């Protein structure tokens, strides 16, 4: 039996260890966190994050070979562990050198020093967090100058799961990436991590590379994914001017197998805890390496995302006769995407803030993300009415802005909603989830992303 410790019980540490533990009953898995509330939630029926299928996986392994602990017992847990995954947060630095761009490695380095302090035998330390390329070099340096006669092998094993489909992604990953030193010890450590995943992932899907390729591939994968969204969003603006339909364009280009159909959904913008921070980090690394042109190239992916969010609100103001002051607007969705309660960097909250600045009255509706939304909005939450009921949110509203593509929003009784709203009633569909034609027939004015708007008053002008 191998004892595996994971430091950090967040969106990655919790689900990842639960899935690995469920497939490896022969090993013991312990997940620790400094956040007591989070650990209590992992040990209860109310898990700290909403993720389809997570509860079942946790229930299968918890108390059998999966345990969640606060970090009070961390000295002995570190010492007992053979392998330590580190899955702590690596947000964008908000202070000092590199503020606003570089990764804040304080949590990561603290963990490394904790490992060093409490270990009395050699261990494998696995970078699960997303880190700047060559972080492992610094880790090795800190860990291996220990004077204790023990050795640490640092392995990079970045995580590619997406929230909302985390369990599916972990159960059936496109690939698992393991990077290590090309020394006999480094390769032994890599093999140990590969063997863990091989309990359920086909060997041909487990890639091994050198440490730096592995670390960099994680940042590059996110940059490429975000780039596709910014590319299609830029085209959505052109579609709106030319009466081309962005969904038809995406479908047409996506059928070219060299382009492919995925990640071409035009939207109000991408959110989530990682795309922005990882691209900022990539930009910073490029600048540090003297690659200004490369840095500027990737920066435009973020600029296009900001433009898309701003453009969405500008369209709302313009379409609603250039004033939103005192108008009630129902926001359908707070999460940064469907099937998650996560609101980090959610475009829905960015839109909410911009509408509050226009002095609109906001009713925010989401099935799972309201608690996080309230916390993220901080002082501005006091100005927002929160409800899980979309019908209550839309009652007496001038407009609905659909910002998260929850399935439930597609199947609401829009006739009933229309009848409860102030007329003329508007829908701004930031996810192209709703059927423009049928909503227009009901009486709504509807503005979608990358499509010609369907406005009743335009028809009046034309007649
Ligand atoms: P998170 O904030 O949800 O979780 C990190 C956890 O680490 C927190 O609960 C925090 O309390 C804990 N922590 C911090 N310092 C600690 C310490 N010294 N000891 C014990 N616990 C400590 O973050 P996350 O979303 O799980 O992301 C973790 C890493 O994984 C990041 O580097 C992120 O970029 C990367 N990642 C995230 C996702 C995702 O979908 N969220 C996907 C792939 C990779
Ligand atoms: C993303 C990556 O997909 C994961 O592979 C990666 O592990 C993770 O980041 C990470 O490193 O944190 P995630 O942010 O959870 O996962 O979710 P995505 O499905 O990538 O969606 C990100 C944002 O892009 C969401 O706001 C989503 O609505 C938006 N999006 C996605 C679009 O606007 N259009 C699309 O076609 C796809």
């Amino acid at each position: 039996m191998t004892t595996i410790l994971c430091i950090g019980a967040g969106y990655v540490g919790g689900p990842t260890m639960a899935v690995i533990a469920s497939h490896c009953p022969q090993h013991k898995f312990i997940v620790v966190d400094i956040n007591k509330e989070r650990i209590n939630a992992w040990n209860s029926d109310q898990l700290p994050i909403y993720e389809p299928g997570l509860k079942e996986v946790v229930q299968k392994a918890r108390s059998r070979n999966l345990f969640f602990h606060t970090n009070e017992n961390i000295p002995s847990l570190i010492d007992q562990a053979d392998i330590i995954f580190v899955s702590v947060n690596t947000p964008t630095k908000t202070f000092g050198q590199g503020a606003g761009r570089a990764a804040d490695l304080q949590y990561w380095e603290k963990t490394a020093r904790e490992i060093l302090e409490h270990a009395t035998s050699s261990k494998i330390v696995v970078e699960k967090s997303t880190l700047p390329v060559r972080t492992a070099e610094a880790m090795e340096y800190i860990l291996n100058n220990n004077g204790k006669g023990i050795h640490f092998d640092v392995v990079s094993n970045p995580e590619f799961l997406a929230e909302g489909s985390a369990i599916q992604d972990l159960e059936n990953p496109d690939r698992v990436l393991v990077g290590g030193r090309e020394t006999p010890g480094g390769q032994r450590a890599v093999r140990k991590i590969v063997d863990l995943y091989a309990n359920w992932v086909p060997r041909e899907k487990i890639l091994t590379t050198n440490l730096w390729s592995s670390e960099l591939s994680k940042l590059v994968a996110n940059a490429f994914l975000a780039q596709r969204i910014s590319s299609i969003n830029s085209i959505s603006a052109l579609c709106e001017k030319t009466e081309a339909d962005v969904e038809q364009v995406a479908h047409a280009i996506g059928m070219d197998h060299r382009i492919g159909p995925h990640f071409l959904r035009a939207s109000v913008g991408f959110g989530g805890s990682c795309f922005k921070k990882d691209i900022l980090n990539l930009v910073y690394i490029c600048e540090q390496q003297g690659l200004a042109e490369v840095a500027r190239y990737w920066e435009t992916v973020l600029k296009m995302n900001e433009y898309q969010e701003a453009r969405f609100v500008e369209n709302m103001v313009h379409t609603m006769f250039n004033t939103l002051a005192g108008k009630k607007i129902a926001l359908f969705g707070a999460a940064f995407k469907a099937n998650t309660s996560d609101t980090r960097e959610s475009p829905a909250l960015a839109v909410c803030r911009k509408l509050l600045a226009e002095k609109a009255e906001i009713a925010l509706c989401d099935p799972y993300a309201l608690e996080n939304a309230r916390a993220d909005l901080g002082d501005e939450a006091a100005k927002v009415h929160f409800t899980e009921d979309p019908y209550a949110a839309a009652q007496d509203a001038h407009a609905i802005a659909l910002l998260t593509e929850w399935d439930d929003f597609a199947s609401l009784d829009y006739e009933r909603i229309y009848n409860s709203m102030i007329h003329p009633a508007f829908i701004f569909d930031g996810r192209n989830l709703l059927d423009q034609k049928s909503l227009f027939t009901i009486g709504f004015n509807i503005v979608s992303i990358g499509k010609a708007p369907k406005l009743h008053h335009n028809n009046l002008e034309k007649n």
Side-chain angles (χ1 to χ4, degrees):
M1 186 188 73
T2 303
T3 300
I4 294 151
L5 177 68
C6 175
I7 303 181
Y11 286 86
V12 168
T16 307
M17 287 304 124
V19 170
I20 305 182
S22 76
H23 287 287
C24 302
Q26 70 277 29
H27 301 311
K28 183 175 172 188
F29 294 81
I30 301 159
V31 190
V32 290
D33 204 292
I34 41 175
N35 183 334
K36 279 192 185 143
E37 235 174 84
R38 244 187 184 176
I39 289 299
N40 289 342
W42 280 114
N43 282 320
S44 77
D45 284 339
Q46 290 296 317
L47 300 184
I49 58 180
Y50 172 70
E51 193 62 63
L54 177 62
K55 209 170 185 174
E56 292 75 8
V57 182
V58 169
Q59 278 169 350
K60 183 174 163 193
R62 199 173 53 191
S63 306
R64 179 191 71 180
N65 66 329
L66 173 67
F67 305 88
F68 294 93
H69 280 279
T70 53
N71 72 331
E72 280 147 14
N73 307 327
I74 209 156
S76 65
L77 294 174
I78 286 176
D79 199 28
Q80 283 163 28
D82 306 294
I83 300 174
I84 303 176
F85 282 79
V86 184
S87 187
V88 298
N89 36 329
T90 51
T92 303
K93 212 175 161 194
T94 54
F95 54 89
Q97 199 175 316
R101 286 172 306 155
D104 184 347
L105 297 177
Q106 61 171 308
Y107 309 103
W108 173 255
E109 190 173 326
K110 262 185 210 143
T111 344
R113 292 192 187 276
E114 238 171 351
I115 295 172
L116 180 60
E117 188 185 343
H118 302 300
T120 58
S121 57
S122 298
K123 299 181 189 306
I124 298 172
V125 175
V126 185
E127 297 179 340
K128 193 46 136 175
S129 301
T130 302
L131 295 159
V133 56
R134 295 202 80 89
T135 301
E137 193 173 35
M139 287 305 109
E140 283 173 339
Y141 185 74
I142 293 174
L143 289 169
N144 284 327
N145 280 298
N146 57 50
K148 293 185 184 182
I150 57 176
H151 180 77
F152 294 91
D153 286 299
V154 178
V155 171
S156 161
N157 171 223
E159 184 48 59
F160 295 101
L161 68 80
E163 289 177 30
S165 57
I167 300 304
Q168 213 178 303
D169 297 340
L170 288 164
E171 290 286 356
N172 189 17
D174 286 343
R175 78 316 208 171
V176 166
L177 181 56
V178 187
R181 283 282 185 191
E182 285 147 322
T183 57
Q187 288 303 299
R188 249 195 323 274
V190 166
R191 274 196 302 279
K192 282 213 164 161
I193 305 306
V194 168
D195 288 345
L196 264 186
Y197 285 100
N199 281 289
W200 81 99
V201 179
R203 287 265 174 182
E204 64 276 14
K205 286 193 172 182
I206 308 178
L207 296 183
T208 57
T209 64
N210 76 27
L211 268 171
W212 325 126
S213 305
S214 175
E215 289 178 331
L216 184 57
S217 297
K218 173 62 201 175
L219 291 182
V220 173
N222 275 357
F224 268 62
L225 289 168
Q227 181 200 44
R228 281 176 71 95
I229 305 169
S230 277
S231 296
I232 199 68
N233 280 346
S234 75
I235 298 304
S236 75
L238 183 57
C239 288
E240 287 162 29
K241 298 278 183 205
T242 57
E243 294 191 17
D245 179 323
V246 76
E247 286 188 302
Q248 293 177 354
V249 173
H251 185 62
I253 64 166
M255 281 180 77
D256 183 329
H257 74 275
R258 294 168 304 173
I259 297 174
H262 302 293
F263 263 68
L264 287 178
R265 270 182 291 114
S267 67
V268 56
F270 61 74
S273 61
C274 293
F275 279 177
K276 185 174 172 189
K277 90 166 163 68
D278 290 349
I279 294 176
L280 285 170
N281 188 215
L282 185 63
V283 167
Y284 182 71
I285 293 168
C286 292
E287 278 170 356
Q288 293 288 297
Q289 299 296 331
L291 303 170
E293 285 77 5
V294 185
R296 294 296 79 76
Y297 175 75
W298 288 106
E299 213 167 39
T300 56
V301 173
L302 294 176
K303 285 194 177 144
M304 186 51 61
N305 201 48
E306 285 163 17
Y307 167 74
Q308 189 75 349
E309 270 176 14
R311 213 168 65 75
F312 184 81
V313 176
E314 279 161 24
N315 271 342
M316 289 183 75
V317 177
H318 173 72
T319 310
M320 294 177 70
F321 318 113
N322 295 311
T323 177
L324 301 182
K327 290 181 179 169
K328 180 180 175 189
I329 298 177
L331 302 188
F332 282 8
F336 80 96
K337 63 184 282 199
N339 299 318
T340 176
S341 53
D342 195 352
T343 54
R344 292 178 290 179
E345 299 292 340
S346 175
L349 299 191
V351 167
C352 179
R353 287 193 186 95
K354 287 187 167 78
L355 294 176
L356 287 172
E358 292 290 337
K359 298 197 183 304
E361 283 175 26
I362 301 297
L364 182 58
C365 171
D366 192 287
Y368 287 96
L370 291 184
E371 210 181 307
N372 283 334
R374 197 188 291 274
D376 281 7
L377 284 169
D379 291 347
E380 289 180 294
K383 297 184 219 156
V384 174
H385 174 66
F386 296 86
T387 173
E388 280 174 19
D389 178 359
Y391 296 102
Q395 173 89 40
D396 297 322
H398 292 254
I400 294 168
L402 192 150
L403 301 168
T404 311
E405 70 283 20
W406 289 102
D407 278 349
D408 287 357
F409 292 146
S411 54
L412 297 173
D413 179 350
Y414 279 97
E415 190 110 39
R416 173 181 160 198
I417 287 178
Y418 179 75
N419 289 329
S420 76
M421 288 175 68
I422 307 278
H423 296 167
F426 295 86
I427 293 193
F428 298 88
D429 184 356
R431 297 289 181 170
N432 288 341
L433 184 76
L434 306 174
D435 181 42
Q436 268 197 326
K437 262 193 199 151
S438 61
L439 292 177
F440 186 71
T441 308
I442 290 173
F444 282 107
N445 296 290
I446 170 148
V447 179
S448 309
I449 302 281
K451 293 167 190 272
K454 287 180 91 60
L455 305 175
H456 291 284
H457 49 275
N458 271 7
N459 287 348
L460 286 179
E461 276 163 26
K462 277 180 199 156
N463 290 338

